[in-house]
Amino acid sequence: MDLDFTAEEQAFRKHVREVIRGELPREISDKVLQGRGLTKEDIECWQAILNRHGWLATTWPAEFGGPGWSVVERHIFNEECALASAPRIVTFGLVMLGPVLIKFGTKEQQDHYLPRILDGRDWWCQGYSEPGAGSDLAGLKTRAVRDGDTYVINGQKTWTTLGQHANWIFCLVRTATEGKPQDGISFVLVDVNSPGVEMRPIKLIDGSKEVNEVFFTDVRVPVTNLVGEENKGWTIAKYLLTHERTNIAGVGHSTKDLEKFRKLAAEIERDGEKVADNPLYAMRAAELEADLEAMRVTNLRLLADASSGAAEGHRSSLLKIKGTQIRQELQNLYRSALGSAAALDADDLSENELAVPVEAARAAPVYFNHRKLSIYGGSNEIQRNIVAKELFRE
Amino acid sequence: MDLDFTAEEQAFRKHVREVIRGELPREISDKVLQGRGLTKEDIECWQAILNRHGWLATTWPAEFGGPGWSVVERHIFNEECALASAPRIVTFGLVMLGPVLIKFGTKEQQDHYLPRILDGRDWWCQGYSEPGAGSDLAGLKTRAVRDGDTYVINGQKTWTTLGQHANWIFCLVRTATEGKPQDGISFVLVDVNSPGVEMRPIKLIDGSKEVNEVFFTDVRVPVTNLVGEENKGWTIAKYLLTHERTNIAGVGHSTKDLEKFRKLAAEIERDGEKVADNPLYAMRAAELEADLEAMRVTNLRLLADASSGAAEGHRSSLLKIKGTQIRQELQNLYRSALGSAAALDADDLSENELAVPVEAARAAPVYFNHRKLSIYGGSNEIQRNIVAKELFRE
Amino acid sequence: MDFRISEERQMLSDMLRRFWGNDPMLEARNAAVYEAPYQVPGVWAQLAELGVFGAFLSEDEGGFGGTAEDVVVVFEEAGRALSAEPLLGQLLVMRLLAGLGRADLLEEMVAGATRGALAFAEPALSVDLSRTAATAARRGDGWVLNGRKSAIYGGPGADVLLVTARTDAGLGLFLLRDAPLIEAAMVDGGGIAELVMEDLAAECLAEDAAPPVEAALDLGRIALCSEAVGAMDMLTAMTVDYLKQRRQFGRPLASFQALQHRVVDMVMEGEQARSIVIRAMASYGTPDQARHVAMAKNLLGRVAPHVAEEAIQLHGGIGMTWEYPGSHYAKRLVLLDHQLGDRRDHALRLMRMCAPDAGAVSRPVTARTPESQTA
Amino acid sequence: MDFRISEERQMLSDMLRRFWGNDPMLEARNAAVYEAPYQVPGVWAQLAELGVFGAFLSEDEGGFGGTAEDVVVVFEEAGRALSAEPLLGQLLVMRLLAGLGRADLLEEMVAGATRGALAFAEPALSVDLSRTAATAARRGDGWVLNGRKSAIYGGPGADVLLVTARTDAGLGLFLLRDAPLIEAAMVDGGGIAELVMEDLAAECLAEDAAPPVEAALDLGRIALCSEAVGAMDMLTAMTVDYLKQRRQFGRPLASFQALQHRVVDMVMEGEQARSIVIRAMASYGTPDQARHVAMAKNLLGRVAPHVAEEAIQLHGGIGMTWEYPGSHYAKRLVLLDHQLGDRRDHALRLMRMCAPDAGAVSRPVTARTPESQTA
């Protein structure tokens, strides 16, 4: 047994780290570190940098523009990005649609859309959830009715992340109502600027605006925008849900967050004691660090299995549950460590007037924002159901 | 609002405390304190003492030999018994069957059985659970077939607590198989010494023998031993399940256990530090104490409601869940505080050879034994179901 | 033993519930309290009319209440309504001024014409007043203050600021008007301020006010805990309602046992929270005050954030939205633990009280047992 | 990166699983290990034949293993089988004797002819060897020991006892035969002993053996954690099986979502436990050893008792019975936390390592990052 990365992998990490630290603009990484909002330009800037290195579409095969990395290399890359406080890649085009087109799309669709994802001409968002159907995709109601060479779409999508920046949306729509609810769903690409598409931001608990509602009123879409077969969209949805999710645990982010906590705890004093020396904080941090170290290895074990093609699907659900628990607990601890200072909505104040360390100023809003981790991407309850189904299979 | 007990109640507590401390033999309270097993004689001795004071059947109306106490006085009495490390009353005759006979029994049954419960001539045990039906009483299978003036009983009961000491058992038996499973159940009294009754002890996880299996093979019981109507035993079972359970939280026991923990923690040293000064133990103890203090008030609130007849049934389920959680956590903490010394099965050693404090010697077995608290009397899962049913009622 | 509240308090409670108890009020709240002036226009005056501030004083002091029980009644309703009005600051200041016999100011405060806030916390001071770093010094006939104060709840717009600072005699209490506050919104709504003092002239109210400040803060903690109880009740009820209405996989979410059991735990924590508040309230002013208040703040600091997190999770996405009232309740329930000392601060208080050398190993079974009363 | 184990170790693992892997063996275990001699007759010799003790030594030392990985393989199978054989004492003594080059004794131990146990713990000493109170003094040509030793795992019936005691040079290590042990059963089965030493003559093996004893104990902790992983696996599987078979209210218990979700958490904790053991095993002998071993023992000290408690609860009454094998697994999983330092002892170890002045604030991302390797 050998937990070490190979010499090549270690060299890869060194190279990646140097490039990221060299190229990532400080003002962007500061925003990420401090939990402040990123602009569209910030994200485009970073994605353009990665694209220049051919590191943007890390899960695509080399012939479509991917870097041709192993799952381990991808893992190392993701970890280094998190440790450097790089912005998260916008996954909808790069991690979701791209692989779908590569697996289910026509040659024309691949040739047209994939390069535009890479060079940033198209910003994709996702139209999956509906107001009445969150984790239960089979219940979705948005209709697409065939009219000659076009579909006419009516309905509503929601929780569309960063839709405000997008010019394209991929949607699951109902194209038939007979048979099982999973049947009759199709996967369709829609130009956001089509007449009848309306995007409305949803303000979140922390005041951020990162998700949207999307309304479709008689939106006409050419049938060539169908991906895969009509009424077989469920297959694509399932493909994406069980698609390789070895990065789902967010170990890099948790590592960074623990580091942030330790730095803060060593700085701030409460009632005559550094938070780092307060045994109640110190024990929680020590135990969380043990959990994280275990999670790191759990993740590597799954990576190793994925490398050899032996990964079981339900184990990525375990990664998601425990990984998000650790991330949320770290946010919790970080917020708590600030004591009364966490109550200030510090975006209102200029830095130098505050008694709060600048990187901690948004601790509470970021904590609230991170509650989403256990809700989206299949809530942790859904993940538990998936694992239970596997465990209690007859 | 007034949390204090009245002057009368306080005088009552003082009196009860003095009598208990004066009368309870030290060798018996030591056994209770140290978690060592009680003999049949120990229990009989203590119950005879209480009976001499008229304090044994605390829930019976005065005309049947109860002390005529209010729910608050009963609560105070129970608490004082726990704090004095008195043996628990054997509840089957006194708390379960007695009230059932008083409510459902004939005058003859009352006149015959109640005095014999009080003076200890009869030791009752309970035949409810069956191997195939634990919390789900409707599924029970033990049959009683009418044959002239007798029932002929065949079947098996289990988890019969202290059955080894009993000469009588009350049973739920199936007298009809038509209709709903709850119908067709009857409540019958059986002489344990009847031909065909066999009692086999079940050894528990901690090595103790306090529960039994009971086998019935063609056991003949006069029909006069039926309590209430034939096929209406479910009504009696429900009566007992929802019967006043204001003592279910075990607040007195937890108070005693916390006191025991604090005493132990102040005595034993580990790696240069008293356990009491170890912040990780001290915090857990402090938080458990807060939980217990809240539980104490929660219990008093329910008592007050019970006094005014306003208690909601599902709230006693909440008492049971939280009360047993606290009790189990205290056992957990106590066991942990002992460190490596808890691993010794100390009954094997004479006291003076041990490095373990004598009252802590059985900490681990007692901890394991107390896991039953969340299982019996309707498991905590069943209690949660009961509360949920109330909460989510349309 | 009697857990009923008095008729007068029940009337106050009912009045407040009627006043606050409707959705448009919550909408107005969310529209107003996340930016200056951090209050819903007009509400403060109406609270005065309803007698809320009179409830903070005894009859001798010019009110009709003044006990911990009155405070609990008011704040539970504030919690149910998710009010972000600066009641806490007003309470703390009124109790301190009452102790000092400042009838002049109190009369204005009862009427709602004057608002107060207390500046006791500092960037490195949470609950241990002996760590106060700000200093007061005589300058001519008066006093000047130096240092930094933080977490001044209700600071923005307050007419009267009471400030703690070290004097030769102990912990002095000072009065400021028109203090140069740095103002901000709280993450869960309402105003908060910091104060940088550089030779700031102030009126000295007392050269050592440590015991009354401690007492006021403990009462403030009871108030916060009661507020949490009200907010938890509401958020749990909202969660139950949501699970009943919302269907997934063809059945109501309420029918999923795993979710049911988690809601039962929320309800149980709500009951425990209510109980510990009752205990702290009943102990207020007795030798058990510090211990029971610390227990209450510790217990609420554990269960209120848990209820908040569970409510968000059980709601799913909708619980994450600004538009849904539950999200604001959740924020309040979490941020409460950041005020007047958190779960861990109060655990440390308890640990100190329970340490073997603190002589508090065994405890009375009830608030006052016969023994302890005769002792 | 490769998580597969070597072919040789896989063979050892398979052999042990076959040897132990049947119910009658467990019955024999429960009949034998709760009273003297606390072992299943004949098993020890068979373990020697299977090569278990050889796996504790390298080829140089007279075995065919000797790494943490070998130890992990053996103890995971012991955990799965719930073996109460005194493997831990044997391991600790063999590693210490190997460091001292005592080939004579080791040969007998590999063959299973000699059994060893280590007496390092004391009533007030858990993990901090510097607190050792027992003393050693020269007497004539030899040494005599004074003091009290406790928690000697596998003490009953051991042929060789190694004892730690303070010398002028540090922590001495001494050898005893026919020590006057006070013997008892462990609550979860197996033998344990205490030792009272009053001018007890002993052979001195080393006048300061603190580092090797620390190393042996850390290896023992890895062994215990691996044993816990095996036992958790088994108990969780038993729970799954039980829930599938058992019906209540007309349906299998396995169909109740609240129970399902709790089993998922047990499985998740099992995965995390396995991972931290792998980490500790891989760090053994590196500068990260102490930190990763402390993490492992802390994590197992949290999750193993939780799995035990959940398993009992989910089984209901049957899980409380002596007859049901699961109850003995549950006992083992709880008692493991009482051996070689518990969850809190190791949390304190970690806290000391992570304290700001310990200079361990930031940590490498992987076992060996390029930087740390070149450093």
Side-chain angles (χ1 to χ4, degrees), chain B residues 342-380:
Chain B
L344 269 83
D345 196 352
D347 258 11
D348 289 10
L349 296 176
S350 72
E351 293 183 12
N352 54 3
E353 280 180 339
L354 272 180
V356 194
V358 62
E359 75 277 14
R362 287 193 47 80
V366 171
Y367 154 83
F368 285 112
N369 184 280
H370 277 63
R371 300 313 303 174
K372 72 187 174 193
L373 294 180
S374 49
I375 295 173
Y376 70 7
S379 73
N380 283 11

Short mmCIF file of all heavy atoms in Angstrom, two decimals, chain B residues 342-380:
data_model
loop_
_atom_site.label_atom_id
_atom_site.label_comp_id
_atom_site.label_asym_id
_atom_site.label_seq_id
_atom_site.Cartn_x
_atom_site.Cartn_y
_atom_site.Cartn_z
N ALA B 342 -11.79 1.33 33.47
CA ALA B 342 -13.15 0.87 33.18
C ALA B 342 -13.17 -0.49 32.52
O ALA B 342 -14.20 -1.16 32.47
CB ALA B 342 -13.88 1.88 32.30
N ALA B 343 -12.03 -0.91 31.98
CA ALA B 343 -12.01 -2.16 31.22
C ALA B 343 -12.07 -3.39 32.12
O ALA B 343 -12.43 -4.48 31.68
CB ALA B 343 -10.77 -2.23 30.33
N LEU B 344 -11.70 -3.23 33.39
CA LEU B 344 -11.71 -4.37 34.30
C LEU B 344 -13.12 -4.78 34.66
O LEU B 344 -13.93 -3.95 35.06
CB LEU B 344 -11.01 -3.99 35.62
CG LEU B 344 -9.53 -4.27 35.73
CD1 LEU B 344 -8.77 -3.14 35.08
CD2 LEU B 344 -9.15 -4.42 37.19
N ASP B 345 -13.39 -6.04 34.56
CA ASP B 345 -14.66 -6.53 35.07
C ASP B 345 -14.45 -6.75 36.56
O ASP B 345 -14.04 -7.82 37.00
CB ASP B 345 -15.07 -7.82 34.36
CG ASP B 345 -16.54 -8.11 34.59
OD1 ASP B 345 -17.17 -7.41 35.41
OD2 ASP B 345 -17.05 -9.04 33.96
N ALA B 346 -14.74 -5.72 37.33
CA ALA B 346 -14.19 -5.65 38.69
C ALA B 346 -14.90 -6.53 39.69
O ALA B 346 -14.44 -6.68 40.81
CB ALA B 346 -14.18 -4.20 39.15
N ASP B 347 -16.02 -7.09 39.32
CA ASP B 347 -16.66 -8.02 40.24
C ASP B 347 -15.76 -9.21 40.56
O ASP B 347 -15.96 -9.90 41.55
CB ASP B 347 -17.98 -8.54 39.62
CG ASP B 347 -19.16 -7.80 40.24
OD1 ASP B 347 -18.93 -6.81 40.95
OD2 ASP B 347 -20.30 -8.23 40.01
N ASP B 348 -14.79 -9.45 39.68
CA ASP B 348 -13.90 -10.58 39.88
C ASP B 348 -12.88 -10.35 40.98
O ASP B 348 -12.20 -11.27 41.40
CB ASP B 348 -13.11 -10.86 38.59
CG ASP B 348 -14.01 -11.43 37.52
OD1 ASP B 348 -15.23 -11.42 37.72
OD2 ASP B 348 -13.49 -11.89 36.50
N LEU B 349 -12.71 -9.12 41.40
CA LEU B 349 -11.61 -8.80 42.29
C LEU B 349 -12.13 -8.30 43.63
O LEU B 349 -13.15 -7.65 43.70
CB LEU B 349 -10.75 -7.70 41.66
CG LEU B 349 -10.06 -8.09 40.37
CD1 LEU B 349 -9.35 -6.89 39.81
CD2 LEU B 349 -9.09 -9.22 40.60
N SER B 350 -11.39 -8.57 44.65
CA SER B 350 -11.80 -8.01 45.95
C SER B 350 -11.46 -6.53 45.93
O SER B 350 -10.55 -6.09 45.27
CB SER B 350 -11.07 -8.73 47.08
OG SER B 350 -9.72 -8.33 47.08
N GLU B 351 -12.22 -5.79 46.69
CA GLU B 351 -12.14 -4.34 46.62
C GLU B 351 -10.73 -3.80 46.81
O GLU B 351 -10.26 -2.98 46.04
CB GLU B 351 -13.04 -3.72 47.70
CG GLU B 351 -14.50 -3.96 47.45
CD GLU B 351 -15.36 -3.28 48.49
OE1 GLU B 351 -14.83 -2.45 49.26
OE2 GLU B 351 -16.56 -3.57 48.52
N ASN B 352 -10.08 -4.25 47.83
CA ASN B 352 -8.85 -3.56 48.20
C ASN B 352 -7.68 -3.84 47.26
O ASN B 352 -6.64 -3.22 47.37
CB ASN B 352 -8.46 -3.91 49.65
CG ASN B 352 -8.38 -5.41 49.83
OD1 ASN B 352 -8.54 -6.17 48.88
ND2 ASN B 352 -8.09 -5.83 51.06
N GLU B 353 -7.86 -4.77 46.36
CA GLU B 353 -6.79 -5.01 45.40
C GLU B 353 -6.85 -4.06 44.20
O GLU B 353 -5.96 -4.00 43.39
CB GLU B 353 -6.86 -6.44 44.87
CG GLU B 353 -6.26 -7.46 45.84
CD GLU B 353 -6.35 -8.85 45.28
OE1 GLU B 353 -7.19 -9.09 44.41
OE2 GLU B 353 -5.59 -9.71 45.73
N LEU B 354 -7.96 -3.33 44.09
CA LEU B 354 -8.21 -2.58 42.88
C LEU B 354 -7.73 -1.15 42.94
O LEU B 354 -7.84 -0.49 43.97
CB LEU B 354 -9.72 -2.51 42.65
CG LEU B 354 -10.33 -3.62 41.86
CD1 LEU B 354 -11.81 -3.38 41.75
CD2 LEU B 354 -9.69 -3.68 40.49
N ALA B 355 -7.29 -0.65 41.80
CA ALA B 355 -6.99 0.78 41.70
C ALA B 355 -8.24 1.57 41.33
O ALA B 355 -8.21 2.78 41.28
CB ALA B 355 -5.90 1.00 40.66
N VAL B 356 -9.31 0.88 41.05
CA VAL B 356 -10.56 1.53 40.65
C VAL B 356 -11.34 1.91 41.91
O VAL B 356 -11.48 1.09 42.81
CB VAL B 356 -11.44 0.56 39.84
CG1 VAL B 356 -12.54 1.33 39.14
CG2 VAL B 356 -10.61 -0.24 38.88
N PRO B 357 -11.90 3.12 41.98
CA PRO B 357 -12.77 3.43 43.11
C PRO B 357 -13.93 2.45 43.15
O PRO B 357 -14.49 2.10 42.10
CB PRO B 357 -13.28 4.85 42.80
CG PRO B 357 -12.38 5.38 41.75
CD PRO B 357 -11.82 4.21 41.02
N VAL B 358 -14.28 2.00 44.32
CA VAL B 358 -15.24 0.90 44.42
C VAL B 358 -16.59 1.24 43.79
O VAL B 358 -17.21 0.41 43.13
CB VAL B 358 -15.40 0.44 45.89
CG1 VAL B 358 -15.94 1.56 46.76
CG2 VAL B 358 -16.30 -0.77 45.96
N GLU B 359 -17.02 2.51 43.93
CA GLU B 359 -18.34 2.82 43.36
C GLU B 359 -18.29 2.94 41.85
O GLU B 359 -19.33 3.05 41.20
CB GLU B 359 -18.92 4.09 43.99
CG GLU B 359 -18.32 5.39 43.53
CD GLU B 359 -17.04 5.72 44.28
OE1 GLU B 359 -16.49 4.82 44.95
OE2 GLU B 359 -16.57 6.86 44.19
N ALA B 360 -17.08 2.91 41.30
CA ALA B 360 -16.98 3.03 39.85
C ALA B 360 -16.68 1.69 39.19
O ALA B 360 -16.63 1.58 37.97
CB ALA B 360 -15.88 4.03 39.49
N ALA B 361 -16.51 0.67 40.01
CA ALA B 361 -15.98 -0.58 39.48
C ALA B 361 -16.87 -1.16 38.38
O ALA B 361 -16.39 -1.76 37.44
CB ALA B 361 -15.81 -1.60 40.61
N ARG B 362 -18.17 -0.95 38.50
CA ARG B 362 -19.03 -1.55 37.49
C ARG B 362 -19.52 -0.53 36.45
O ARG B 362 -20.57 -0.71 35.82
CB ARG B 362 -20.21 -2.26 38.15
CG ARG B 362 -19.73 -3.57 38.84
CD ARG B 362 -20.86 -4.48 39.24
NE ARG B 362 -21.86 -4.72 38.23
CZ ARG B 362 -21.74 -5.58 37.22
NH1 ARG B 362 -20.65 -6.29 37.08
NH2 ARG B 362 -22.72 -5.73 36.36
N ALA B 363 -18.71 0.52 36.24
CA ALA B 363 -19.16 1.61 35.36
C ALA B 363 -19.48 1.12 33.95
O ALA B 363 -20.53 1.48 33.38
CB ALA B 363 -18.09 2.70 35.30
N ALA B 364 -18.60 0.31 33.37
CA ALA B 364 -18.84 -0.12 31.99
C ALA B 364 -20.04 -1.06 31.88
O ALA B 364 -20.92 -0.84 31.03
CB ALA B 364 -17.58 -0.74 31.39
N PRO B 365 -20.13 -2.10 32.73
CA PRO B 365 -21.33 -2.94 32.64
C PRO B 365 -22.62 -2.15 32.85
O PRO B 365 -23.62 -2.37 32.13
CB PRO B 365 -21.12 -3.97 33.76
CG PRO B 365 -19.64 -4.07 33.91
CD PRO B 365 -19.13 -2.69 33.65
N VAL B 366 -22.61 -1.23 33.79
CA VAL B 366 -23.83 -0.44 34.03
C VAL B 366 -24.15 0.42 32.81
O VAL B 366 -25.30 0.55 32.40
CB VAL B 366 -23.68 0.42 35.31
CG1 VAL B 366 -24.83 1.40 35.44
CG2 VAL B 366 -23.61 -0.48 36.54
N TYR B 367 -23.10 1.01 32.21
CA TYR B 367 -23.31 1.76 30.96
C TYR B 367 -23.98 0.88 29.91
O TYR B 367 -24.96 1.29 29.27
CB TYR B 367 -21.96 2.30 30.46
CG TYR B 367 -21.90 2.53 28.97
CD1 TYR B 367 -22.39 3.72 28.42
CD2 TYR B 367 -21.36 1.58 28.11
CE1 TYR B 367 -22.35 3.93 27.04
CE2 TYR B 367 -21.30 1.78 26.75
CZ TYR B 367 -21.80 2.96 26.21
OH TYR B 367 -21.77 3.16 24.85
N PHE B 368 -23.47 -0.32 29.73
CA PHE B 368 -24.08 -1.19 28.70
C PHE B 368 -25.51 -1.55 29.10
O PHE B 368 -26.41 -1.55 28.25
CB PHE B 368 -23.24 -2.47 28.50
CG PHE B 368 -21.99 -2.22 27.72
CD1 PHE B 368 -20.74 -2.33 28.32
CD2 PHE B 368 -22.05 -1.86 26.38
CE1 PHE B 368 -19.58 -2.08 27.59
CE2 PHE B 368 -20.90 -1.61 25.65
CZ PHE B 368 -19.66 -1.72 26.27
N ASN B 369 -25.71 -1.85 30.36
CA ASN B 369 -27.06 -2.19 30.81
C ASN B 369 -28.04 -1.06 30.52
O ASN B 369 -29.18 -1.29 30.13
CB ASN B 369 -27.03 -2.51 32.31
CG ASN B 369 -28.37 -2.98 32.82
OD1 ASN B 369 -29.24 -2.16 33.08
ND2 ASN B 369 -28.57 -4.29 32.91
N HIS B 370 -27.56 0.18 30.68
CA HIS B 370 -28.46 1.33 30.50
C HIS B 370 -28.81 1.62 29.04
O HIS B 370 -29.63 2.49 28.76
CB HIS B 370 -27.86 2.58 31.15
CG HIS B 370 -28.14 2.64 32.62
ND1 HIS B 370 -27.67 1.70 33.50
CD2 HIS B 370 -28.87 3.50 33.37
CE1 HIS B 370 -28.07 1.99 34.72
NE2 HIS B 370 -28.81 3.08 34.67
N ARG B 371 -28.19 0.93 28.13
CA ARG B 371 -28.62 1.09 26.73
C ARG B 371 -30.08 0.66 26.59
O ARG B 371 -30.76 1.05 25.64
CB ARG B 371 -27.75 0.29 25.76
CG ARG B 371 -26.27 0.64 25.74
CD ARG B 371 -25.96 2.10 25.67
NE ARG B 371 -26.54 2.78 24.52
CZ ARG B 371 -26.49 4.08 24.31
NH1 ARG B 371 -25.88 4.87 25.18
NH2 ARG B 371 -27.07 4.62 23.26
N LYS B 372 -30.55 -0.16 27.52
CA LYS B 372 -31.94 -0.61 27.44
C LYS B 372 -32.91 0.55 27.60
O LYS B 372 -34.05 0.48 27.13
CB LYS B 372 -32.21 -1.65 28.54
CG LYS B 372 -32.27 -1.05 29.96
CD LYS B 372 -32.38 -2.12 31.04
CE LYS B 372 -32.29 -1.50 32.43
NZ LYS B 372 -32.09 -2.48 33.49
N LEU B 373 -32.48 1.63 28.25
CA LEU B 373 -33.42 2.72 28.54
C LEU B 373 -34.08 3.26 27.28
O LEU B 373 -35.24 3.67 27.29
CB LEU B 373 -32.70 3.87 29.25
CG LEU B 373 -32.16 3.58 30.65
CD1 LEU B 373 -31.49 4.82 31.20
CD2 LEU B 373 -33.28 3.13 31.56
N SER B 374 -33.32 3.30 26.19
CA SER B 374 -33.89 3.85 24.95
C SER B 374 -34.56 2.78 24.11
O SER B 374 -35.04 3.07 23.01
CB SER B 374 -32.79 4.56 24.14
OG SER B 374 -31.66 3.72 24.02
N ILE B 375 -34.58 1.56 24.63
CA ILE B 375 -35.20 0.47 23.88
C ILE B 375 -36.52 0.04 24.49
O ILE B 375 -37.52 -0.10 23.79
CB ILE B 375 -34.23 -0.75 23.78
CG1 ILE B 375 -33.00 -0.37 22.95
CG2 ILE B 375 -34.94 -1.95 23.17
CD1 ILE B 375 -31.91 -1.43 22.95
N TYR B 376 -36.52 -0.14 25.81
CA TYR B 376 -37.75 -0.70 26.38
C TYR B 376 -38.81 0.36 26.68
O TYR B 376 -38.56 1.55 26.52
CB TYR B 376 -37.45 -1.61 27.57
CG TYR B 376 -36.97 -1.00 28.85
CD1 TYR B 376 -36.92 0.37 29.08
CD2 TYR B 376 -36.55 -1.85 29.88
CE1 TYR B 376 -36.49 0.87 30.29
CE2 TYR B 376 -36.11 -1.34 31.10
CZ TYR B 376 -36.09 0.03 31.29
OH TYR B 376 -35.66 0.51 32.49
N GLY B 377 -39.98 -0.08 27.05
CA GLY B 377 -41.06 0.86 27.32
C GLY B 377 -41.46 1.67 26.11
O GLY B 377 -41.89 2.82 26.21
N GLY B 378 -41.32 1.05 24.93
CA GLY B 378 -41.55 1.81 23.69
C GLY B 378 -40.24 2.48 23.31
O GLY B 378 -39.86 3.46 23.94
N SER B 379 -39.54 1.94 22.31
CA SER B 379 -38.21 2.46 21.96
C SER B 379 -38.30 3.96 21.64
O SER B 379 -39.37 4.47 21.33
CB SER B 379 -37.66 1.72 20.75
OG SER B 379 -38.35 2.12 19.59
N ASN B 380 -37.15 4.63 21.68
CA ASN B 380 -37.16 6.06 21.38
C ASN B 380 -37.61 6.33 19.95
O ASN B 380 -38.15 7.41 19.67
CB ASN B 380 -35.78 6.67 21.66
CG ASN B 380 -35.56 6.88 23.16
OD1 ASN B 380 -36.35 6.41 23.98
ND2 ASN B 380 -34.51 7.62 23.51
#
